[in-house]
Amino acid sequence: MLKQLIKDIKQKKELLQLDDQFVKEELNRYFKKEPKILKKLGEELNPKSKEYKKVIKEVRAKLRRSYGLFRVEKESKDLKELFKKKDYQKILETHSSTKERLSFYDQLYQKIFKITGIPKTILDLGSGINPLSFSHMNLKNVNYFAYDLSKEEVKILNQFFKDKKIKGKAGILDLLQIEKVKKLPKAEVAFLFKMTDVLDKGKGHKTSENVIKAIPAKFIVVSFPTLTISGKKMNYPRKGWIELMCKRLEYKLNILEFSNELFYVMEK
Ligand SMILES: C[S@@+](CC[C@H](N)C(=O)[O-])C[C@H]1O[C@@H](n2cnc3c(N)ncnc32)[C@H](O)[C@@H]1O
């Protein structure tokens, strides 16, 4: 049953690249909340039924929220062409998060490494294409490990590391499963940029907290947008919960503020 549902859910261009396992977990979460629908589908798996259509629609909406929402339109086609040309700087402009940072990447990394010291190893979690900003980091001998759910992005990143002779490696990782992963490399610094909303899905911040605790790095840099999706300034961009969490866990905290994004540099 799950196999067919997963296949049908992925029948949308923007969801095709998703890992089956990730879709499966989202489906399981959905069925936990909707046991009646699970029972109905268990009795009869009819793709034309009301229940079947409902599951497909609602799980797709969830996946889009965590996965697709932040991408600049038409990106997929452009991305393929830019990738062929190896125009990595232009690829940075295809995602809204990285595009916005182009004006302050240099300063951002300078400020981060002033606090953390020059790292030997960096983890970039839910990295998207952020590692393509490597030249702005001004680092030479660093091991860079990037993880994301998207196969397409992982492929681009590995090619980028190879072309630029960076000691980097990208892989697929579902951060929601991070506590089960034993062999994540240890690092001095980890980036978790614009990920907490994706992880928490509006249900408190326990998931983000568990991920933060499980990251094997001394410093973790968590960022948040300070603009709403429609481009308006948020009224309360500071994240009280992060500040309270750091107090409770006795992490040191530094805040870096840029025009559209707040960065919390936490020291474990
Ligand atoms: C808002 S983007 C942030 C990308 C990058 N950190 C940045 O700020 O430039 C969210 C990213 O998280 C990835 N993602 C979503 N859910 C994830 C999960 N459970 N585990 C790992 N990555 C995930 C998506 O593929 C996407 O690249």
Side-chain angles (χ1 to χ4, degrees):
M1 174 172 104
L2 283 181
K3 253 198 183 149
Q4 186 180 339
L5 276 165
I6 292 170
K7 201 167 142 238
D8 283 352
I9 286 169
K10 285 175 68 178
Q11 291 306 316
K12 284 278 168 195
K13 211 171 63 210
E14 71 279 17
L15 301 175
L16 266 177
Q17 293 293 329
L18 277 182
D19 200 58
D20 284 4
Q21 184 59 29
F22 183 66
V23 182
K24 188 173 162 191
E25 274 146 21
E26 197 61 67
L27 259 173
N28 284 333
R29 273 192 288 275
Y30 181 80
F31 284 139
K32 247 198 196 149
K33 275 197 336 214
E34 303 279 357
K36 278 194 197 138
I37 295 190
L38 176 62
K39 190 163 167 259
K40 264 257 160 73
L41 294 182
E43 285 159 7
E44 190 202 8
L45 194 66
N46 175 4
K48 295 214 166 80
S49 70
K50 198 171 77 204
E51 289 81 11
Y52 195 93
K53 286 185 183 154
K54 189 167 178 223
V55 178
I56 301 274
K57 190 170 157 223
E58 293 188 357
V59 174
R60 271 185 189 152
K62 278 248 158 155
L63 291 168
R64 282 198 190 97
R65 225 169 295 148
S66 57
Y67 180 73
L69 184 67
F70 300 90
R71 287 152 201 241
V72 176
E73 267 176 56
K74 279 204 316 93
E75 167 222 323
S76 197
K77 186 172 141 261
D78 294 353
L79 194 63
K80 275 202 187 108
E81 273 165 30
L82 293 171
F83 183 42
K84 246 192 245 154
K85 286 196 244 158
K86 299 189 187 266
D87 194 343
Y88 296 112
Q89 276 305 307
K90 277 265 159 55
I91 294 179
L92 271 177
E93 290 175 26
T94 63
H95 284 42
S96 51
S97 303
T98 43
K99 186 176 177 191
E100 276 172 18
R101 287 184 204 123
L102 283 173
S103 63
F104 63 79
Y105 259 135
D106 287 328
Q107 243 194 325
L108 167 68
Y109 289 130
Q110 228 179 40
K111 288 192 172 170
I112 290 178
F113 299 141
K114 204 168 161 205
I115 298 169
T116 66
I118 302 294
K120 288 198 191 93
T121 303
I122 292 181
L123 281 174
D124 196 337
L125 302 170
S127 68
I129 53 165
N130 187 61
L132 302 185
S133 66
F134 185 81
S135 63
H136 298 273
M137 297 177 201
N138 220 348
L139 295 173
K140 286 212 175 73
N141 246 326
V142 69
N143 293 300
Y144 202 111
F145 293 95
Y147 294 97
D148 199 279
L149 269 184
S150 156
K151 286 183 202 158
E152 194 184 14
E153 272 147 24
V154 165
K155 188 169 139 203
I156 293 176
L157 295 178
N158 279 322
Q159 188 62 45
F160 167 76
F161 290 142
K162 198 167 151 206
D163 290 345
K164 302 285 175 190
K165 300 196 166 55
I166 297 165
K167 285 196 284 178
K169 200 168 172 341
I172 305 259
L173 169 73
D174 178 359
L175 279 173
L176 298 173
Q177 306 292 317
I178 191 172
E179 287 157 286
K180 294 186 200 147
V181 181
K182 293 208 177 69
K183 275 208 208 115
L184 217 53
K186 285 208 173 68
E188 288 78 32
V189 179
F191 299 149
L192 194 65
F193 292 170
K194 291 197 179 174
M195 285 305 292
T196 61
D197 288 345
V198 173
L199 296 171
D200 290 327
K201 299 183 181 161
K203 297 182 303 197
H205 303 289
K206 206 72 208 151
T207 313
S208 287
E209 178 169 333
N210 287 340
V211 170
I212 289 168
K213 283 202 255 180
I215 296 173
K218 186 165 168 49
F219 290 90
I220 301 173
V221 188
V222 176
S223 85
F224 303 91
T226 53
L227 292 182
T228 62
I229 298 209
S230 59
K232 293 206 184 87
K233 272 260 169 227
M234 283 181 190
N235 284 340
Y236 301 103
R238 284 174 80 110
K239 300 288 170 189
W241 70 268
I242 277 267
E243 296 173 21
L244 288 173
M245 183 193 82
C246 286
K247 255 198 195 141
R248 179 159 43 82
L249 301 175
E250 297 182 4
Y251 293 172
K252 268 194 223 151
L253 181 61
N254 277 283
I255 303 176
L256 304 174
E257 192 169 354
F258 290 87
S259 47
N260 309 327
E261 200 168 350
L262 265 181
F263 294 80
Y264 286 81
V265 185
M266 303 184 280
E267 181 179 356
K268 280 193 176 177

